[in-house]
Amino acid sequence: MKLIITEKNTTARRISTILSDGKARPLSSSRNPVYVFRMNGEEVHCLGLKGHILKVDFPPRYQQWQEVEPRELIRADIVKVPTNKTLIRTVQSEARKADEVIIATDFDREGELIGVDAINIIREVRPDIKVRRARFSALTPSEIKRVFANLEEPYYNLASAGEARQDIDLIWGASLTRFISLASTRLGKNFLSVGRVQSPTLALIVDREKERKEFVPTPFWTLKIDCRKDGETFQAVHAKERFPTREEAEEAHSRLEGKATVREVKATERSVKPPIPFNTTGLLTAAASLGFPAAKAMNIAENLYMNGYISYPRVDNTVYPPSLDLRGILRELSRSPAFGELAGELLARRKLTPTRGSRQSTDHPPIHPTAAASPGDLSPQEWKIYELVARRFMATLAGEARVLSVRTDLECGPEPFVARGSRTVEEGWYRFYPYGRKKEVDLPHLEAGEVVEVVDAPPPKRGETQPPPRYTQGKLIEKMEELGLGTKSTRHAIIESLYERGYIYGDPIAPTETGIAVAEALRKFAGVISSPEMTAALERDMDAIVEGAETRLEVVDKSREMLEEVMRLLEDSRSEVAAEIRNGIREDRVLGSCPKCGSPLRVIRAKKSKKRFVGCSNYPDCTVTYPLPQNGNLVPTEEVCPECGSPKVRMVNRGRRPWTFCLDPACPTKGREAAPEAEAPPSGEKVRTGEEG
């Protein structure tokens, strides 16, 4: 009997269905059944895991935070702990009956480690059992049947790199998290986390916020006129674009006349190249522009992959390999009512020449559709991601778009103006991938020497230079990739963890005062933690493990040496670190000013009931209180409700889109906004019973 081990039950069911031509049946009705079928006359059992069946941890003697110095964790032993003992027993029971094991987990560091962990627990009961590897990039019938006919050996170096990452993240995360939390007395569910990748990512967000706060805007004035020819109106902007003073702009405005003369018309046609194939960063960035948080987009992409609609979504590659059947994919897409016509146009071409990006690897091809789908086959969100992938694939095979840009120079009185227009003269890849297509601006046909009517010449408009924008999730993932922070498989999860810890909120992303305090304390007293260079160097070391140039133990030991120096710096500044972080936490507790007396409104936690509410810091002279939801992170907005005068706060809760509401439950806006369910302050308890811990 052959035993196939996959990463998840969904994958096990799909592989079993493909290899058995739909005849596989589960042995039981449990959540993780064993699927049974015959292949080439031999009985096959297929079992899906639940991701990692072993996790890394420290031995029990290190579990008590307040009894073990954080430094001791750096050189502590690391043990592997079962995540699901029942599932492990099932794997070993099945292995006892098998002659051969086939590992069919996802092909990346994490997937290979899951597979090798399974091999190790199997060899506890069957030391000499034969093990092979099925390496695939898509859960399609052709791909699965091909790889199971051409099995390989497990990639142990790849698994070792994944294991090194686990070890390093545990050592750094646990020791630094404990140090920061103990120093600032933030324990229990309110502990402060620090991570090898999380912290430099947070530093990027905090640095951008500092740039914004320190930015000094420069005022300027703009001058525009509205012109008309043959009933068609168009706008022209003063050629100076920005006037440094109001006086200069008003002086130019005073010289304007009721007509404008066309001095020159220049038309330029340019080509716009099609986009490159999707890798993980490209997909998550594009999905973010459609409103998908990175973690949500990845979750949807993984579901589409496991159900056979797209290829493996965790990839760096942006170059289609020669072995990828581009016409075969188009033929499959042509079966979709949504894309049949578009795919047919590409299939009619004699030659397909795909675009290519700068990142080329051999682990998986770029993300592409693998099966036809229509909106009725998927949920609305799944369809949006699937459509994005399908259209991007077709766009990479389409021709260039051509855009005609027109610049018209005019004179209104003595003042020079410019009118710009653009229109697409050849759609090319725009027809297949309309996302981000720039809005076209039509100008009437104009020729030099013509005189057009000026129908409006409004006064100069004041503007200001703008600070650098906050990172969106998509832009942050691009920046993380550029700096070598994290991997294609972890970046979205790192961002999600920053939200969960209450360090950041919103999208575009803003740091909370706690997030700023943690980032600044780490930078001030142990700057290497916030350095992308340190994390990128460790990533390169893990790549060296894959290539066989270094071992797991060598890389983990190198990271321990780095961490010992970091811990020394923090220990030398323990009181200063604590003071910096506590100050930031206090700032986060202030949600605004009391509408009655103007004193700060603080988040209070009652000693008896432990419920939180908002109370005025001027108690007992002022007894203003507001109820609060008991879950989620509260972020001050510095906004005041125009109807009731109470502060508005932002609620950031995992799994829900952030929303803003005013604190006063009696405010008239409560009937018009999705306010959270709040609990009133405990009756009979004084307001000043203790601040949020």
Side-chain angles (χ1 to χ4, degrees):
M1 184 265 282
K2 292 182 187 294
L3 174 61
I4 300 172
I5 301 290
T6 72
E7 203 162 315
K8 294 180 181 177
N9 178 55
T10 306
T11 315
R13 182 172 61 244
R14 182 161 182 83
I15 287 177
S16 298
T17 300
I18 292 170
L19 294 179
S20 68
D21 295 323
K23 297 175 183 176
R25 294 291 178 267
L27 276 177
S28 69
S29 58
S30 67
R31 292 184 63 184
N32 274 77
V34 177
Y35 297 92
V36 181
F37 58 96
R38 299 193 73 80
M39 183 173 66
N40 300 325
E42 186 175 5
E43 184 175 345
V44 179
H45 289 194
C46 185
L47 171 62
L49 306 177
K50 293 182 178 179
H52 287 283
I53 55 175
L54 300 174
K55 67 175 182 179
V56 292
D57 205 346
F58 297 113
R61 66 180 180 276
Y62 294 99
Q63 299 303 321
Q64 295 301 316
W65 284 35
Q66 292 171 304
E67 295 178 10
V68 177
E69 283 296 321
R71 170 175 286 279
E72 294 182 42
L73 299 177
I74 299 175
R75 294 288 175 178
D77 292 334
I78 295 176
V79 295
K80 289 211 168 188
V81 181
T83 60
N84 188 320
K85 292 182 179 180
T86 301
L87 185 55
I88 287 176
R89 283 195 295 269
T90 302
V91 171
Q92 291 180 327
S93 174
E94 288 295 317
R96 287 188 177 94
K97 300 178 285 187
D99 303 310
E100 181 180 1
V101 172
I102 301 172
I103 299 299
T105 50
D106 294 339
F107 184 69
D108 59 12
R109 290 179 189 175
E110 186 176 23
E112 206 67 22
L113 177 56
I114 291 170
V116 169
D117 280 345
I119 292 171
N120 290 335
I121 67 163
I122 286 170
R123 284 190 166 147
E124 289 177 9
V125 296
R126 292 291 307 281
D128 300 321
I129 196 167
K130 182 180 180 182
V131 177
R132 304 299 303 278
R133 179 52 155 119
R135 173 184 169 182
F136 50 86
S137 296
L139 288 164
T140 60
S142 59
E143 174 86 341
I144 292 302
K145 289 180 179 180
R146 179 186 66 80
V147 301
F148 273 85
N150 297 276
L151 297 172
E152 304 175 358
E153 294 298 316
Y155 291 77
Y156 289 101
N157 283 350
L158 190 62
S160 290
E163 195 169 11
R165 180 185 302 284
Q166 274 192 340
D167 292 350
I168 291 169
D169 286 349
L170 172 68
I171 297 165
W172 281 71
S175 57
L176 293 175
T177 292
R178 286 197 195 183
F179 178 88
I180 294 294
S181 296
L182 288 166
S184 58
T185 63
R186 283 276 295 224
L187 303 175
K189 67 178 183 179
N190 293 314
F191 72 91
L192 299 174
S193 65
V194 179
R196 182 181 61 85
V197 182
Q198 173 187 291
S199 296
T201 303
L202 176 61
L204 288 175
I205 298 165
V206 170
D207 285 347
R208 178 58 56 90
E209 197 68 14
K210 284 179 64 179
E211 287 182 63
R212 290 174 57 81
K213 288 181 178 178
E214 293 168 1
F215 181 83
V216 179
T218 303
F220 61 84
W221 284 261
T222 57
L223 196 55
K224 298 178 182 179
I225 57 175
D226 291 334
C227 304
R228 183 162 57 202
K229 178 191 176 184
D230 299 334
E232 189 175 347
T233 302
F234 64 96
Q235 191 172 79
V237 180
H238 197 283
K240 195 165 184 175
E241 294 187 352
R242 293 179 175 182
F243 291 90
T245 66
R246 180 193 296 274
E247 292 75 18
E248 190 176 342
E250 288 178 342
E251 187 177 339
H253 184 263
S254 70
R255 292 192 287 265
L256 301 183
E257 299 176 356
K259 295 186 181 296
T261 303
V262 178
R263 294 302 181 197
E264 186 178 17
V265 179
K266 288 183 179 179
T268 306
E269 194 171 298
R270 62 186 175 88
S271 297
V272 184
K273 293 182 178 181
I276 63 172
F278 265 153
N279 63 3
T280 301
T281 297
L283 173 61
L284 296 184
T285 301
S289 69
L290 299 181
F292 286 92
K296 179 69 173 177
M298 178 54 76
N299 181 259
I300 293 171
E302 288 174 340
N303 286 337
L304 290 171
Y305 157 70
M306 287 189 292
N307 286 289
Y309 288 108
I310 68 172
S311 63
Y312 191 57
R314 298 176 184 264
V315 296
D316 289 321
N317 198 359
T318 55
V319 179
Y320 296 132
S323 59
L324 192 66
D325 185 2
L326 302 177
R327 288 191 180 275
I329 297 169
L330 288 173
R331 282 192 291 271
E332 180 64 27
L333 277 181
S334 69
R335 297 175 50 239
S336 167
F339 308 122
E341 182 181 346
L342 294 173
E345 288 180 21
L346 294 172
L347 283 168
R349 298 186 177 187
R350 291 180 57 189
K351 185 179 180 182
L352 295 174
T353 305
T355 59
R356 51 189 293 136
S358 60
R359 298 178 70 92
Q360 187 169 9
S361 61
T362 58
D363 53 351
H364 294 284
I367 304 165
H368 60 273
T370 55
S374 62
D377 299 326
L378 305 169
S379 71
Q381 288 190 322
E382 287 175 331
W383 172 254
K384 285 182 180 180
I385 298 296
Y386 173 81
E387 182 181 21
L388 184 67
V389 171
R391 287 186 174 278
R392 180 63 162 246
F393 172 75
M394 290 188 288
T396 64
L397 303 175
E400 295 180 343
R402 297 195 67 78
V403 175
L404 180 68
S405 298
V406 179
R407 173 188 167 122
T408 302
D409 289 280
L410 306 98
E411 272 188 3
C412 183
E415 299 298 319
F417 282 80
V418 177
R420 288 185 170 86
S422 68
R423 63 184 177 87
T424 302
V425 294
E426 187 175 328
E427 276 198 308
W429 63 271
Y430 285 163
R431 174 165 162 72
F432 301 86
Y433 192 80
Y435 309 98
R437 182 173 177 173
K438 292 183 179 179
K439 185 179 180 181
E440 298 190 355
V441 179
D442 286 327
L443 291 179
H445 179 73
L446 297 168
E447 294 183 358
E450 279 191 87
V451 177
V452 296
E453 180 186 4
V454 176
V455 294
D456 192 19
K461 185 177 181 181
R462 187 184 189 277
E464 288 185 342
T465 54
Q466 296 299 305
R470 290 177 171 134
Y471 288 107
T472 62
Q473 289 196 35
K475 290 298 182 184
L476 183 58
I477 284 177
E478 286 182 342
K479 188 67 175 179
M480 291 171 73
E481 181 181 56
E482 176 191 330
L483 296 175
L485 291 175
T487 69
K488 58 185 179 293
S489 301
T490 62
R491 292 182 185 115
H492 65 282
I494 293 295
I495 295 173
E496 183 76 357
S497 71
L498 290 173
Y499 280 110
E500 291 175 2
R501 294 311 314 155
Y503 290 162
I504 61 174
Y505 66 96
D507 191 12
I509 303 168
T512 63
E513 292 298 329
T514 298
I516 293 172
V518 170
E520 292 294 359
L522 293 175
R523 188 200 314 276
K524 188 179 293 186
F525 302 108
V528 68
I529 304 175
S530 302
S531 161
E533 290 77 17
M534 178 274 296
T535 295
L538 285 173
E539 294 292 345
R540 289 192 294 271
D541 287 340
M542 285 181 268
D543 288 338
I545 296 173
V546 178
E547 296 160 5
E550 293 207 53
T551 67
R552 176 180 68 85
L553 293 178
E554 289 171 342
V555 170
V556 172
D557 195 54
K558 191 186 300 184
S559 78
R560 282 183 164 126
E561 291 173 2
M562 289 185 194
L563 182 54
E564 283 174 329
E565 176 60 20
V566 168
M567 189 64 74
R568 184 189 65 78
L569 293 170
L570 288 174
E571 288 170 340
D572 289 346
S573 309
R574 185 184 182 98
S575 58
E576 293 93 333
V577 171
E580 185 115 0
I581 292 174
R582 283 175 184 158
N583 183 59
I585 294 170
R586 278 195 293 271
E587 290 298 320
D588 265 350
R589 290 180 187 143
V590 177
L591 297 183
S593 299
C594 176
K596 184 176 178 180
C597 72
S599 299
L601 289 172
R602 293 188 177 274
V603 178
I604 310 295
R605 190 172 293 277
K607 285 185 177 178
K608 292 181 181 178
S609 66
K610 302 301 182 184
K611 290 182 178 179
R612 66 180 182 179
F613 58 95
V614 174
C616 181
S617 59
N618 194 28
Y619 178 87
D621 295 333
C622 181
T623 58
V624 168
T625 61
Y626 296 111
L628 279 178
Q630 296 305 298
N631 296 307
N633 292 309
L634 295 161
V635 181
T637 66
E638 300 181 2
E639 296 178 37
V640 174
C641 177
E643 298 201 33
C644 71
S646 64
K648 300 185 81 170
V649 298
R650 190 171 181 84
M651 173 66 74
V652 183
N653 220 344
R654 185 181 182 188
R656 296 189 62 179
R657 186 180 293 275
W659 74 97
T660 302
F661 62 97
C662 78
L663 288 172
D664 190 348
C667 177
T669 62
K670 293 303 182 188
R672 304 194 296 269
E673 64 184 13
E677 186 175 331
E679 293 189 34
S683 61
E685 291 197 45
K686 293 181 179 180
V687 172
R688 190 182 291 278
T689 52
E691 291 186 346
E692 175 91 81

